[in-house]
Structures are given as structure tokens and as C-alpha cells.
Amino acid sequence: MKNIQIDDTLGIPKYRQIINSIYQGILSGNLKVGDKIPSLNQICVEFELSRDTVMVAFNELKAKGIINSIPGKGYYINSTEVNVDQRIFLLFDELNAFKEDVYTSFLNSLDTKSNVDIYFHHFNFQVFKDLISEAAGNYTSYVIMPATFDQTSDIISILPKDNVYILDRKKEDLSDYPVIYQDFEGDVFRALENGKDLLEKYRKLVMVFPGGKEPEGRMIGFEKFCKKNKMKYEVVRSLIDRTIEKGEAYFVPSDRNLVKLVKMADANCFKLGEDFGIVSFNDTMLKEVVAGGITTISTDFQLMGQNLAKMISDRSKSQISNPAQLIRRKSL
């Protein structure tokens, strides 16, 4: 049969011989993008192989992006990049400065035989579901950032379980999957304990927590710290119609609210770090210089990317809490 060679005398599994035949056809120039390959049934009959054996070969070729199937027509060559060992599906919630740090660190930590396709669901559940459905069977590894979505196990279960990795949030219904996550509640509580010496000079701590896509654990950790240390505190949904006062320290997940607070402090001639305090979340290079430096509570996003690459490379089933810390700067 053209392009498929099986030798019973070789000590190489039959499914691997099918894969090697396709690779050889591509390398020799006999197979090009768009060319049709023998069907599953044709190979089974010609070489007296089980359907499962051929399907294992086809699934691996499909996962690496080498072949693709067209319903009712058969399998075709989709790519001639046969030197790619890993084809990774990466589903983020959104792109921002710190997610870009994770992505860049992840890419830099992978070997040169890995290709990564990145997608974003933008906190839209239907988009999340559709992207996973379309990706199923087309990649060797799947990295999923479920964000605020709960009860996603049925959707993710269509993917090969041994090749799925969860990122950023630990979900109860996804507890069987390897994950690198932020312990939002614990991270905030420990960071505030470490910065207690800075916070004691403020008469009131205020967290601006709009809800929605923001992790509720941050608010819980904040309240836990304030109650434990008997500090006066308040949680507000927004800064609309809010009047800031001397002696207050604000905690803001949103960078938009961070900018508003810096402007409000400047308009009131409040000196950051003395009259008025600001703590932001998720460190970026810009926060190192804004208003002389913004204090942040942040996980190590570069380490998250590095650990993710290592987890996939090692096929690790670990569940890792990514470390976070309070980064002290002028604003507190």
C-alpha cells in the first residue's frame, strides 16, 4: 500500500510503523499538505491489523497536528512539521501583563520541539466550552485556565485525562487533575501578616472588591487578617462616589481602580506611604515605577510558567501552590 509499510519481522509496534511510514512519506516529499492517506479500514484489511492499533497511530498523528480528518471524506496531511514532539493547547481567561509573563516564561522553558496554540475564553462559558470541544483530539497536551467557572468537569472530560493540566485556580470538581494554582486566601493573609508593621500606622483598611472575575479568596484572606489583628476595615464594591481620607490604606485588584486612587490621592495632596496607602495585586514592571512604586501582593508568574513547562515535560501529576509575596514599595 502506497505510503504505509508494515514489516512483521521488526521489533517495532505496528502502530509506530504506521506513524513512521507517514513521517517518511513527508520527509521524502511523497506526502504534502492536503494529500489524502489510506483510510483506517484500508490499513486494517491490507495488513490484518485491529482497528484499535490503527486508531492509536491516527490519534497520535492527529494530536501532533500531522493529519486531520474530514467527516465522510477521510484523513489528510495537515502539517509537514514532523520534528514537533509536543503540540500544546493553552486556554487562558484573558491576556494582560501578568498573564503575558506566564505565557512568555512557559514558552522559554519548553524545548524547541514544542508548538503552543493559545486561546482566550474571556470569561464566556460558551466560548470556553466550544474551544475545548474543537481542540479535543488535536493536541498532545491541554492547559486549561477555568477562572471563575465551576462544574466544568463534564466539559473537560472529553479531553484525554492524562494530558490535561489545570492552571491558576484549584477547583473541587477538577481535583483529579494536575494543577498549578494560587492560594488566594492564604496568599493574602500571609502577605498582610508579613506587612503588619506597615499596616499598623493606618487607622482603616479598605478593600475594593467588585466581585465577578475576581477570586473571592482574596477578600476572605483580607477579612481574616483584619479580624485576627482587630483592625478596622471595610469592603466596598467600587470607588464611585467614594471620598478617600487620610489614614486609610486601599487594596485594589483592578488596575483601573489603582489609577483612580493614585489620581484621587494626588488631588487631595496625600503623600503615598504616609498619609494614604495603596496595595495592588499581580505585580508588573509598570507598578515598579508608577507613583514612585506601588506595593503589590503577587504570585511569581515567571515561576508559574516554568513549573507548567516542567510539569508537562515530566508528565507530572502534582498539585502545586505557586508562591506569592508582599512586594514592598513606596505606596505603603
Side-chain angles (χ1 to χ4, degrees):
M1 179 179 291
K2 186 180 178 182
N3 297 318
I4 304 293
Q5 300 295 324
I6 301 292
D7 187 343
D8 292 330
T9 66
L10 294 177
I12 301 174
K14 302 294 177 57
Y15 84 91
R16 180 56 58 186
Q17 292 190 49
I18 296 171
I19 293 170
N20 291 344
S21 294
I22 298 298
Y23 281 1
Q24 188 57 44
I26 290 171
L27 292 171
S28 66
N30 291 328
L31 286 175
K32 299 179 179 62
V33 173
D35 286 351
K36 189 174 183 180
I37 65 173
S39 72
L40 189 151
N41 288 335
Q42 285 175 324
I43 297 174
C44 288
V45 172
E46 177 73 18
F47 299 104
E48 297 181 352
L49 299 175
S50 72
R51 187 178 180 86
D52 287 345
T53 297
V54 183
M55 188 52 89
V56 167
F58 277 24
N59 283 344
E60 181 170 327
L61 288 166
K62 189 177 179 184
K64 291 186 175 181
I66 302 300
I67 66 173
N68 198 11
S69 60
I70 300 176
K73 293 187 176 181
Y75 287 86
Y76 293 81
I77 299 297
N78 183 62
S79 170
T80 56
E81 294 293 328
V82 296
N83 289 323
V84 174
D85 285 341
Q86 286 268 15
R87 191 160 182 256
I88 302 170
F89 172 79
L90 185 62
L91 180 56
F92 274 13
D93 46 22
E94 63 182 355
L95 183 62
N96 47 40
F98 46 92
K99 299 285 173 54
E100 188 174 351
D101 287 343
V102 176
Y103 178 62
T104 302
S105 175
F106 177 58
L107 288 184
N108 290 339
S109 301
L110 291 169
D111 60 50
T112 56
K113 291 186 177 182
S114 297
N115 280 352
V116 180
D117 292 340
I118 185 169
Y119 299 87
F120 304 93
H121 57 70
H122 300 290
F123 301 93
N124 183 312
F125 188 77
Q126 189 60 50
V127 172
F128 175 83
K129 182 178 179 180
D130 289 346
L131 286 172
I132 290 176
S133 178
E134 291 167 7
N138 294 325
Y139 295 87
T140 57
S141 298
Y142 302 82
V143 179
I144 310 294
M145 190 177 284
T148 54
F149 303 140
D150 292 319
Q151 306 306 318
T152 59
S153 58
D154 285 348
I155 296 170
I156 294 175
S157 67
I158 68 173
L159 304 175
K161 187 173 182 178
D162 288 342
N163 299 330
V164 174
Y165 304 86
I166 307 302
L167 188 64
D168 199 44
R169 303 199 193 192
K170 193 175 184 181
K171 298 286 188 176
E172 186 175 341
D173 66 316
L174 301 176
S175 60
D176 291 338
Y177 292 96
V179 59
I180 299 175
Y181 65 96
Q182 296 188 61
D183 175 13
F184 295 104
E185 178 182 339
D187 287 346
V188 170
F189 180 80
R190 287 185 291 269
L192 297 184
E193 284 286 332
N194 290 335
K196 187 178 176 181
D197 59 308
L198 297 175
L199 297 170
E200 286 177 333
K201 65 184 175 185
Y202 296 98
R203 63 174 182 82
K204 185 179 183 181
L205 309 183
V206 181
M207 172 170 272
V208 183
F209 187 78
K213 66 182 182 180
E214 301 297 340
E216 191 173 347
R218 283 184 178 149
M219 181 182 67
I220 296 171
F222 171 77
E223 291 181 327
K224 181 180 176 182
F225 167 81
C226 293
K227 290 174 181 176
K228 176 181 179 290
N229 292 282
K230 296 181 171 55
M231 290 188 172
K232 185 178 180 181
Y233 75 94
E234 184 180 3
V235 177
V236 299
R237 290 294 178 185
S238 74
L239 291 173
I240 297 174
D241 299 325
R242 181 85 185 180
T243 301
I244 63 173
E245 298 179 7
K246 277 189 178 183
E248 293 180 332
Y250 276 71
F251 297 77
V252 282
S254 162
D255 286 352
R256 185 180 296 273
N257 282 332
L258 167 62
V259 173
K260 286 182 181 179
L261 279 172
V262 171
K263 288 182 175 180
M264 291 166 75
D266 186 60
N268 283 277
C269 298
F270 291 168
K271 193 169 183 180
L272 285 182
E274 295 183 17
D275 303 323
F276 187 76
I278 298 177
V279 178
S280 178
F281 293 87
N282 301 321
D283 201 43
T284 63
M285 291 180 63
L286 191 60
K287 292 174 186 178
E288 296 179 23
V289 296
V290 168
I294 300 296
T295 297
T296 61
I297 298 173
S298 181
T299 197
D300 187 333
F301 292 107
Q302 290 191 357
L303 182 61
M304 181 178 281
Q306 292 167 8
N307 282 339
L308 177 62
K310 188 175 188 304
M311 180 176 280
I312 292 175
S313 176
D314 295 345
R315 290 295 173 190
S316 169
K317 301 304 176 185
S318 301
Q319 299 193 339
I320 302 171
S321 176
N322 208 62
Q325 63 175 324
L326 177 73
I327 302 173
R328 297 174 176 231
R329 296 195 183 107
K330 181 182 174 182
S331 70
L332 199 61

